[in-house]
Structures are given as C-alpha cells and as structure tokens.
C-alpha cells in the first residue's frame, strides 16, 4: 500500500492509462500549463506533450462534443470539466449524443469517453457553483455515473472508467482532493464499475450513500457507535451501474435503511434506491426507508444557511434513530 | 457618492472642458472619486476575505476600475447593466450602495441579495443591475433578452453586457450576437480584455481578436484603452447614444489588466504570467495613476485634493464593512424563502421532508 491524496491517486490513474493506451488524451480548461484548476493533471503535460494534454478555451459544449466525435472515430478521450457545474453547458452533447449514439446507430458506434471533474457542494460557493450533479447524467440511459470517495477508489475507478466502452461521468468530490488514504501498489489496480463497497460493517442500521457523503456517514456511524448503535455504511461507488445485490444484502442484514446524498431529493439517486428496496426487499424492512438529502433549495451563500442546506451528521443520526424507533 | 468639490484648489472651474480630453473637469473629478472608491472597496473586500469574513470565490476588479466607472457613467438610471462574477464595482457604479454590496459579500441580511447570492451574485433590480453571474457567458443571453424587452416596449434605453475576454469563446456569445444583429437590439457587449481567463492567456486558445468576433454579424466593433477612464467615458458617451437612437448592437473591447489573482483563491502571478509583467502593468497602466497625471497636468487636481478624495473613498469603504459587520446573519427561515413564487400553489413544491 502507498499513502497518497485523492488528487495524487487520480493523477496516477491518468498517467497509467495514458501510458498504456496512446488513444487516451486529456482535454479541458487549464489542464495543461496550469496543471488543472485542482492540480489533478499536474506534470502530465511534461510527460505526454501538448497533443495529449490540451488546454481548451471556455467552450464546454464544444470541447465535450469534440470528445464525443473523437470517441466515435476511435480515440478514448478524457474530458475535464473544471467543475461539473459547467458541464450543464455540455449536457446536450452528453445526453443527446454520447449517451444515445450506440443505440441510435444500432450498435455501430461506441463512445468510450470519460467526462471528469469535481462535483458536489463545496464551501460557500453559492447556487451556481455548489451542487451535486449526478442525477442529470444518469436520468437518460447511456451514461454511467461514478463517484469515488477515497484515494483507492478514485484510482481504481478512474482506470476502469477510461477503459469502459460507454460514456462515463466520473464525479470527483470537490472537497476530497486533499484526503489521504492507502492505495494498493499492484501493477494494474482497477476497480470494476458497479461494485459497491462496505466502508463500515454494522448490524443495526444501513446507511447507503456515495461520493463525498461517505465521509459524513462514517462520522455519523462513529457517533452512533458511542450510543451503542452499529451502523453499516454501504458506499455505492457508482450510481449507474448500481450494485443492487449489495443493497439488498445490507437491507436483509439490518432491516433498516437511511439513504444519504448531497443532491436534491426529487428524483434523486435515493428515490431510485428506495424504490428498488420496496420492490425487492419489502418484507425485510422493519421501518420505512428515510432519506437525508440537501435541502430542496438552491445552495445559499450565507454560511449559516449553507450549513442548514447541506446534509448534517445530526440529520443522519436522527434518521438512523428514527428507523430504529429510538 | 460623495460629490467632488465644485472648484478645485488650482482655480480651474469644474464646468471647464478639459480641451485635450473632451470631458468636463466635473465629470473627470467624479470619475476619479468613483475609481478611488472602487479601489478602496475592493481592498476592503480583500482584507475581509483574508480574515474569513467573506468566503467562497471572490473576484476583485482592482486594476480594471476604469471599466466600471467610465462605462456606467454614461448611462441613465433606467438603463440596464449585467455582468459576470467580477462585478462588485459595476454594481456600485450602477447605483447599489457599497454597504449593500459589502453585506452581500459577508452573507448578511443587509446584503442586496439578502446574503443568499454572495460575491458572484450581486443583483439589484431597482438599480437595474441584473447580476452577478457565475457561469462564464451565462449573462450574455440575458443581456440579449433585456435588449429584446427594451425594443419590444419601445423604450429609449440601452443594456450594457460586461464579460471577460475568455467569454467570447462560448457558443452562446456568438448565438446572441447573431440574434442581436438580426433584431437590432440595443445591447452593447463590453468585453473586458484583461488578457487572461484564469491562468490561460487569451491568445493561447483564441484564433482571432475580440473585435473580429462581431464581423460575421455585421456588428460594429471597437477597441478602447480601458485603463484610460476619460477615453473610455468618451467612447461610451458617443456609442451609447448611437445605440439608444436605434443603431443596433455594438461590441467593444476594453483593453485592461487585472492586478490581483483570478480570484482570492488564486496566486497573483505564477506559470501563466510573471511577477515582472504584473508589476510593469501596475507601474504603467494603473487607471487611477493615469487619471491623476492627466488631471494634475490640466491643473484641475492637486495632491491635497486627491488625498481628501481618497479619504472620502476610504471612509465609504470602511462604512461598508462596518455596516456588513453589524448586519445580522439571515434567519433560518430564509433558507426556504424565494425558491418559488409562493402564490396560488396547489400540490407539493418541496420534497426534503423539512417543508411540505
Ligand atoms: C462555463 C464556465 N466554465 C468555467 C468556469 C470557471 N471559470 C470561472 S472564471 C473563468 C475565467 C473567465 O475569464 P474571463 O472571461 O476572461 O473573465 P475574467 O475572470 O478575466 O474577468 C473560468 C474558467 C465558469 N465559471 N463557467
Ligand atoms: Mg479575462
């Protein structure tokens, strides 16, 4: 094992995949000379040159679509959005093109492209720069959505995403770049998409979550432990594909579920997971599944309002106790 | 805004036209007072950011003040302006009080958006300052819509749309220039060319100059020294009247330079520009210094008066931070206010279990 930051783990994944496959290139705003707005692509320009590490103008619709076209024609692009907030400008290319080309062409085309960048509420960045964007990318079939929570997951899942033959929205936690963790040193460390990970084993209640919120769930479980409650934390790691087996397994084990996400509740990932649970594991539930989400409002700037808008440890504790009838 | 004195110590009359510049001394002195205020205001914001009273992203206009002062000075109160996130000074120029802008940066109730917007989202409907936009290029279609409204209602007004140089590479910008040209909308698209979009030099990712971008749409383009507030003012004085009287849209490049980092989270210089480059621009193209030279040479301003004006600017800026400091944080109830119109509601709007 090597200890490294989430940022370094992503950097290693990019380096290794670019080394492995000459068709992989990285394009985005500030990715080359500036090393990336969040320094994820640090040093890559020097190693791979400016044909493969490319600074783009602020033209999200254009360069995302350029990536889609290049992927149709045989390359394996990694398109960085400075943050996923700006990917909304490119949604047409991602949803109407990348996600549907395989189907519309009767399988003639594959679109092996990775759209990556920071995602999720950050610190006082306000309504347009602080939001979890997963739902927009997974609502229409055809695009996978991956949300790593740890350095190891970041590395293994990014490598799998780049190798995947479908479009992947690879959503990094905006607040996780400095997070340190152990990353396996094996030669080719790849984590397949669609495999959830138990980040904590417990028997009383399951907290199902993904992305940045995994850490909030772990904090909450520590508090619960001190009150004699053993929470299990299931990190979905990718929300499409979704590891339904792992979800059902934890439900069958604890019979009580709290779904935690930092996106809005309406048609969020939690709504889908809850629907699956009630369809496929209804008899295993001892309480209705509760969701803890971002407040159903655009993110406010004021610090105190922002704290109220984001999911809190307290809300998770409260919901866990509620499903335990405590 | 504190009024500049009517007569200067050197004896020249403020209504005198400064022959070499074609601007009255009164206007020139007001522009000086305004730019001083913008400089001091932004410095206060910088200080407040450093001690954690302002959070998130905060983009300063230091070095680019002539753009706010010289452009907005020519407008009538009913005219519109809209901008991106580097817009504190423009908001003040358009008539929002420095106190209400600073309190917004602090996230306080006294902020012009009630503390919900923050530094990037200063909005003042009454002042006809339509924001404060965080997505690069997001304001350009809105400006075009404002132009549409003006024409639709047969009003004799104009809309100024500020943006940065890097914004002209967004597709929406080109779509809007085309529509504005087709429908002859009274919009002046003002590109503040400070040479960089964050750490990317304009030339590295742009094939043609800014003024070339309106050629395909037959929109007249011009380029002004945006560090020379008198030139900027004169240029816009003429241009705005052309547009107001039905001349259709215009594109203007303001050649300028930012003296600080892209935002408070970014370094002033680094791999993308050298410290020497920044120092040279501060030395040679500080808009306040340029105007000071001009006014000293014309004999309508002297050092003592300038210092008094600076005291006035500092006082207003300090009053703004005092006001922001004393303004309360929003009540928790504010979280759910202003998401929806809240009139005539049938059915559920909120889904987080807190509000139903
Ligand atoms: C659509 C979009 N892409 C990227 C960003 C991140 N970003 C914020 S400002 C900026 C640079 C903009 O430069 P310019 O338009 O020249 O304005 P300046 O900051 O120089 O005033 C970038 C890339 C954003 N806010 N919105
Ligand atoms: Mg710029």
């Amino acid at each position: 094992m090597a200890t490294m930051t989430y940022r370094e783990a992503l950097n290693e994944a990019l380096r290794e995949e670019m080394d492995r496959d000459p068709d992989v290139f990285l394009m985005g705003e500030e990715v080359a000379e500036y090393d990336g707005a969040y320094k994820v692509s640090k040093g890559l320009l020097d190693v791979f040159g400016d044909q493969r590490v490319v600074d783009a103008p602020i033209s999200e619709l254009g360069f995302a679509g350029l990536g889609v076209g290049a992927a149709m024609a045989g390359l394996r692009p990694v398109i960085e959005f400075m943050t996923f907030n700006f990917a909304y400008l490119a949604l047409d290319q991602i949803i109407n093109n990348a996600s549907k080309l395989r189907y519309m062409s009767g399988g003639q085309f594959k679109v092996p492209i990775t759209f990556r960048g920071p995602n999720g509420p950050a610190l006082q960045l306000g309504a347009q720069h602080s939001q979890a964007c997963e739902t927009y990318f997974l609502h229409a079939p055809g695009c996978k959505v991956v949300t790593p929570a740890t350095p190891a997951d970041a590395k293994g899942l990014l490598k799998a995403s780049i190798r995947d033959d479908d479009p992947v929205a690879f959503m990094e936690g905006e607040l996780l770049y400095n997070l340190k963790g152990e990353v396996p040193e094996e030669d080719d460390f790849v984590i397949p998409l669609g495999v959830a990970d138990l980040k904590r084993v417990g028997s009383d209640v399951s907290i199902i979550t993904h992305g940045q919120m995994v850490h909030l769930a772990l904090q909450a479980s520590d508090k619960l432990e001190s009150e004699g409650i053993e929470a299990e934390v299931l990190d979905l790691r990718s929300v499409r594909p979704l590891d339904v087996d792992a979800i059902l397994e934890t439900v069958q084990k604890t019979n009580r579920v709290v779904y935690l996400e930092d996106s809005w509740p309406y048609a969020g990932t939690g709504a889908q997971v809850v629907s699956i649970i009630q369809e496929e594991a209804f008899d295993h539930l001892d309480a209705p599944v509760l969701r803890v989400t971002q407040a159903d409002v655009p993110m406010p700037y004021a610090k105190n309002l922002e704290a109220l808008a984001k999911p809190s440890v307290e809300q998770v504790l409260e919901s866990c106790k509620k499903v335990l009838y405590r | 805004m504190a009024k500049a004195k009517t007569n200067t110590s050197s004896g020249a009359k403020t209504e005198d036209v400064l022959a070499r510049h074609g601007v009255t001394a009164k206007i020139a002195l007001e522009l000086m007072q305004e730019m001083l205020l913008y400089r001091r205001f932004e410095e206060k914001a910088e200080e407040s950011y450093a001690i954690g009273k302002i959070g998130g992203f905060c983009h300063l206009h230091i070095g680019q003040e002539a753009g706010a002062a010289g452009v907005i000075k020519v407008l009538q109160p009913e005219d519109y302006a809209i901008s991106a996130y580097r817009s504190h000074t423009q908001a003040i120029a358009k008539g929002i009080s420095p106190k209400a802008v600073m309190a917004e940066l602090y996230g306080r109730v006294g902020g012009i958006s009630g503390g919900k917007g923050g530094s990037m989202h200063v909005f003042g409907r009454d002042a006809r300052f339509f924001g404060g936009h965080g997505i690069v290029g997001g304001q350009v279609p809105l400006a075009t819509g404002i132009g549409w409204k003006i024409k639709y209602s047969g009003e004799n007004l104009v809309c100024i749309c500020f943006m940065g140089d890097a914004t002209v590479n967004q597709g929406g910008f080109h779509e809007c220039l085309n529509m504005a040209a087709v429908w002859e909308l009274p919009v002046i698209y003002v590109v503040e060319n400070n040479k960089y979009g964050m750490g990317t030099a304009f030339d590295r990712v742009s094939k043609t100059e800014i003024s070339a971008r309106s050629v395909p749409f037959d929109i007249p383009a011009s380029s002004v020294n945006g560090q020379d507030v008198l030139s900027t003012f004169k240029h816009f004085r003429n241009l705005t009247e052309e547009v107001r009287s039905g001349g259709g849209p215009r594109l203007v490049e303001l050649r300028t330079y930012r003296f600080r980092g892209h935002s408070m989270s970014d370094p002033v210089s680094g791999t993308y520009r050298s410290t020497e480059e920044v120092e040279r621009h501060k030395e040679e193209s500080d808009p306040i210094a340029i105007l000071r030279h001009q006014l000293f040479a014309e004999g309508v301003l002297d050092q003592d008066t300038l210092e008094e004006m600076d005291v006035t600017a500092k006082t207003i800026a300090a009053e703004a931070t005092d006001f922001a400091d004393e303004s309360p944080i929003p009540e928790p109830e504010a979280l759910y206010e202003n998401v929806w119109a809240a009139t005539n509601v049938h059915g559920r709007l909120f889904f987080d279990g807190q509000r139903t």
Side-chain angles (χ1 to χ4, degrees):
Chain A
M1 291 279 187
T3 306
M4 66 179 78
T5 61
Y6 189 86
R7 169 186 290 115
E8 288 161 348
L10 291 164
N11 184 275
E12 275 201 357
L14 285 169
R15 237 173 242 266
E16 289 176 16
E17 291 311 295
M18 291 183 74
D19 240 348
R20 216 184 129 255
D21 182 351
D23 289 340
V24 177
F25 69 95
L26 173 67
M27 182 182 279
E29 291 154 22
E30 312 274 352
V31 298
E33 291 200 3
Y34 203 67
D35 288 333
Y38 293 81
K39 305 294 169 206
V40 169
S41 50
K42 191 167 183 188
L44 297 186
L45 174 65
D46 290 342
V47 181
F48 299 105
D50 61 8
Q51 202 195 342
R52 296 185 68 197
V53 183
V54 189
D55 280 328
I58 308 181
S59 311
E60 283 83 1
L61 176 75
F63 66 75
L66 180 156
V68 177
M72 288 175 82
L75 298 182
R76 201 167 274 278
V78 178
I79 299 296
E80 174 171 317
F81 292 116
M82 189 175 282
T83 74
F84 261 96
N85 305 290
F86 315 141
Y88 289 178
L89 276 102
L91 271 179
D92 177 59
Q93 285 296 331
I94 298 170
I95 293 169
N96 268 326
N97 284 347
S99 304
K100 297 174 182 171
L101 277 160
R102 180 186 290 277
Y103 193 78
M104 291 191 294
S105 68
Q108 295 179 73
F109 287 102
K110 62 175 182 183
V111 185
I113 188 170
T114 304
F115 302 104
R116 51 157 290 273
N119 173 57
L123 299 174
Q124 281 203 280
L125 299 187
Q128 295 184 327
H129 280 70
S130 196
Q131 56 195 323
C133 307
E134 295 81 304
T135 307
Y136 296 92
F137 297 83
L138 52 72
H139 187 61
C143 182
K144 295 175 177 170
V145 176
V146 180
T147 55
T150 65
D153 290 349
K155 180 169 182 190
L157 291 168
L158 181 54
K159 283 166 67 88
S161 298
I162 294 172
R163 292 183 198 183
D164 200 279
D165 276 346
D166 283 320
V168 177
F170 186 89
M171 305 185 144
E172 299 154 16
E174 184 154 339
L175 299 175
L176 299 182
Y177 288 112
N178 290 326
L179 179 78
K180 280 200 172 137
E182 302 274 283
V183 178
E185 279 177 292
E186 65 200 61
D187 248 6
D188 197 21
F189 171 63
V190 180
I191 301 173
L193 307 185
V195 181
D197 185 42
L198 271 186
K199 288 286 192 287
R200 187 180 197 282
V201 177
S203 50
D204 297 327
V205 53
S206 302
I207 306 173
I208 304 179
T209 185
H210 66 275
Q212 296 190 151
M213 286 295 100
V214 167
H215 302 282
L216 196 82
L218 291 171
Q219 281 174 39
S221 341
D222 287 346
K223 293 228 164 119
L224 287 168
E225 187 177 14
S226 65
E227 299 182 34
I229 298 169
E230 288 302 331
E232 178 145 298
V233 176
L234 182 67
D235 173 7
L236 297 171
R237 296 205 289 201
S238 63
V239 276
R240 193 165 182 155
L242 183 68
D243 191 345
V244 174
D245 290 344
I247 293 170
L248 297 178
E249 206 170 301
T250 190
V251 176
Q252 285 162 16
K253 179 176 177 189
T254 68
N255 316 111
R256 299 161 200 277
V257 181
V258 171
Y259 191 91
L260 168 63
E261 64 185 315
D262 53 3
S263 184
W264 296 287
Y266 202 125
T269 54
Q272 182 59 42
V273 170
V274 171
S275 167
I276 291 170
I277 292 173
Q278 66 85 20
E279 282 168 32
E280 301 188 31
F282 187 76
D283 291 338
H284 293 277
L285 286 177
D286 285 343
V289 181
L290 293 183
R291 287 186 293 160
V292 177
T293 70
Q294 138 112 15
D296 202 7
V297 304
M299 187 65 86
Y301 164 77
K303 211 174 192 164
N304 66 318
L305 294 183
E306 185 190 55
L308 292 173
K310 291 177 172 179
S312 65
V313 170
E314 289 65 37
Q315 285 172 316
V316 179
L317 296 180
E318 200 182 298
S319 296
C320 286
K321 290 180 189 165
K322 221 165 169 178
V323 299
L324 283 157
Y325 299 109
R326 297 221 194 157
Chain B
M1 176 70 48
K3 286 269 174 293
K5 291 200 225 161
T6 34
N7 281 304
T8 65
S9 39
S10 63
K13 294 228 170 41
T14 53
E15 55 273 20
D16 288 352
V17 175
L18 307 178
R20 231 167 318 155
H21 303 286
V23 175
T24 62
K26 175 171 179 290
I27 297 267
L29 289 167
E30 284 174 12
L31 288 168
M32 174 60 94
Q33 182 67 75
E34 287 157 15
M35 289 201 297
L36 285 168
L37 171 61
Y38 306 153
R39 176 72 51 94
R40 299 309 180 197
F41 181 93
E42 294 287 67
E43 286 171 353
K44 273 287 185 191
E46 195 172 25
E47 267 174 52
S48 301
Y49 193 94
I51 54 173
K53 290 189 173 178
I54 298 172
F57 290 146
C58 180
H59 310 78
L60 304 178
H61 210 216
I62 293 179
Q64 304 183 213
E65 296 92 342
V71 175
I72 293 178
K73 189 87 180 158
V74 309
L75 298 183
Q76 294 169 6
E78 296 78 25
D79 287 330
Y80 297 85
I82 187 167
S83 187
Y85 42 81
R86 198 180 300 288
S87 60
H88 312 154
T89 61
Q90 297 156 347
I92 295 169
K94 195 65 187 72
I96 304 178
S97 83
K99 289 177 178 167
V101 176
M102 191 63 86
E104 189 56 40
L105 271 52
Y106 276 52
R108 302 300 176 91
V109 167
I112 188 74
S113 306
K116 280 172 150 175
S119 160
M120 293 192 285
H121 306 300
V122 175
F123 287 85
R125 199 185 60 161
D126 293 344
R128 299 230 159 151
F129 185 76
F130 275 35
H133 297 271
I135 303 299
V136 168
Q139 76 279 23
V140 180
L142 303 183
T144 311
I146 294 165
W148 175 267
K149 174 348 175 157
I150 293 170
K151 186 148 191 223
Y152 192 90
S153 306
E155 291 160 348
N156 206 20
L157 302 173
V158 300
C159 175
I160 299 278
C161 178
F162 289 105
M163 73 195 85
D165 46 286
T167 312
V168 305
N169 289 324
Q170 282 290 27
F173 168 78
H174 299 267
E175 297 177 17
C176 286
L177 287 195
N178 180 53
M179 290 189 286
V182 168
W183 294 316
E184 297 175 330
L185 305 180
V187 182
I188 307 175
Y189 299 94
V190 180
V191 180
E192 294 185 85
N193 182 2
N194 60 13
K195 298 189 162 85
Y196 301 94
M198 288 185 72
T200 303
F202 180 76
D203 305 341
R204 287 186 50 231
V205 292
S206 309
K207 191 68 188 171
T208 54
E209 287 303 313
I210 284 159
S211 55
R213 302 299 176 105
S214 67
V215 171
F217 312 106
D218 231 357
I219 294 176
S222 50
S223 178
V224 208
N225 177 358
Q227 303 306 86
D228 178 347
V229 73
L230 297 181
S231 304
T232 302
F233 171 79
K234 264 188 311 182
H235 187 78
F236 276 84
R237 190 174 54 188
N238 301 334
L239 200 80
T240 306
E241 290 325 304
E242 285 168 33
V243 173
R244 198 186 294 287
S245 52
R250 295 287 187 277
L251 176 68
V252 185
E253 174 192 27
L254 282 182
R255 297 189 310 278
T256 183
Y257 197 80
R258 108 173 113 63
F259 290 179
R260 295 293 194 269
H262 168 70
S263 79
M264 286 299 298
S265 338
D266 302 293
V268 176
S269 54
T271 46
Y272 74 101
R273 64 176 192 182
S274 64
T275 312
E276 296 72 55
E277 180 188 307
V278 177
E279 289 309 316
R280 184 164 44 79
H281 275 92
K282 283 191 190 167
E283 193 69 28
E284 293 170 4
S285 68
D286 183 325
I288 293 174
I290 290 173
L291 182 61
R292 187 187 61 217
H293 286 307
Q294 290 163 334
L295 298 188
F296 279 13
E298 294 286 340
V300 289
L301 182 65
D302 57 27
Q303 189 60 36
D304 287 347
T305 316
L306 181 65
E307 274 162 28
E308 277 173 44
M309 290 167 85
D310 198 25
V311 169
T312 303
K314 285 179 173 160
T315 307
I316 297 171
E319 284 167 0
T321 45
D322 289 347
F323 173 82
D325 264 322
E326 282 156 27
S327 176
I329 60 173
E331 293 294 333
E333 294 72 48
L335 184 63
Y336 289 92
E337 286 163 8
N338 299 316
V339 181
W340 303 95
T343 48
N344 251 331
V345 178
H346 303 283
R348 187 185 286 188
L349 285 171
F350 290 101
F351 291 88
D352 59 10
Q354 313 291 315
R355 285 290 154 112
T356 49

